[in-house]
């Protein structure tokens, strides 16, 4: 997808160190961390919203949620973390390429 910052990161057009990568997803650090540890799990396929997700997209999201637990220790999230997927304007989504926020490394505020 043209002009999508996360597609550009996935393609390597914008350099961003990958903490994990496989054929379906990457994990990078958020450029503006909202917690001591703040990662983004980004599917390599472009779609913005769960409501746009097809069967292939659903498989990728399932894969992300299967891989994330296996990465907890390596990412320093073994004491717990928060998973956030912002959707659309009211959800505060600023990058219209679906991504999973992983926040941790400290006790997070209640919400
Ligand atoms: P959203 O608000 O769409 O749920 O989250 C987008 C996130 O992407 C924000 O937390 C923002 O800090 C992060 N972000 C935006 N541009 C970049 C970038 O170029 N590199 C990285 N690593 N994170 C980015
Ligand atoms: Zn994209």
């Amino acid at each position: 997808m043209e002009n999508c910052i996360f597609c550009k990161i996935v393609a390597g057009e914008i350099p961003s160190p990958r903490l994990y990568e496989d054929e379906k997803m990457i994990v990078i650090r958020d450029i503006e961390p909202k917690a001591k540890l703040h990662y983004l799990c980004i599917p390599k396929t472009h779609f913005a919203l769960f409501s746009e997700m097809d069967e292939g997209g659903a498989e990728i999201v399932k894969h992300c949620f299967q891989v994330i637990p296996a990465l907890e220790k390596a990412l320093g999230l073994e004491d717990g973390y928060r998973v956030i997927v912002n959707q659309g304007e009211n959800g505060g989504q600023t990058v219209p390429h679906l991504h999973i926020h992983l926040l941790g490394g400290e006790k997070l505020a209640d919400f």
Side-chain angles (χ1 to χ4, degrees), residues 14-73:
I14 296 174
S16 185
R18 293 155 195 235
L19 305 174
Y20 174 83
E21 175 171 18
D22 63 28
E23 72 285 2
K24 293 189 175 76
M25 58 173 267
I26 61 171
V27 177
I28 61 171
R29 286 183 197 280
D30 196 291
I31 205 169
E32 282 181 45
K34 316 291 189 301
K36 199 167 169 193
L37 297 174
H38 185 172
Y39 306 103
L40 300 171
C41 175
I42 305 176
K44 288 188 172 180
T45 301
H46 180 95
F47 58 98
L49 300 167
F50 287 124
S51 60
E52 297 171 353
M53 194 168 65
D54 60 13
E55 282 297 320
E59 277 303 315
I60 292 168
V61 170
K62 176 181 159 195
H63 175 78
C64 291
F65 281 107
Q66 286 174 325
V67 169
I68 287 165
L71 298 176
E72 287 171 8
K73 201 160 183 210

Side-chain angles (χ1 to χ4, degrees), residues 82-101:
R82 185 167 293 157
V83 177
I84 295 175
V85 184
N86 293 325
Q87 293 287 277
E89 192 171 343
N90 282 3
Q93 186 176 13
T94 58
V95 178
H97 178 131
L98 191 123
H99 52 281
I100 303 163
H101 293 263

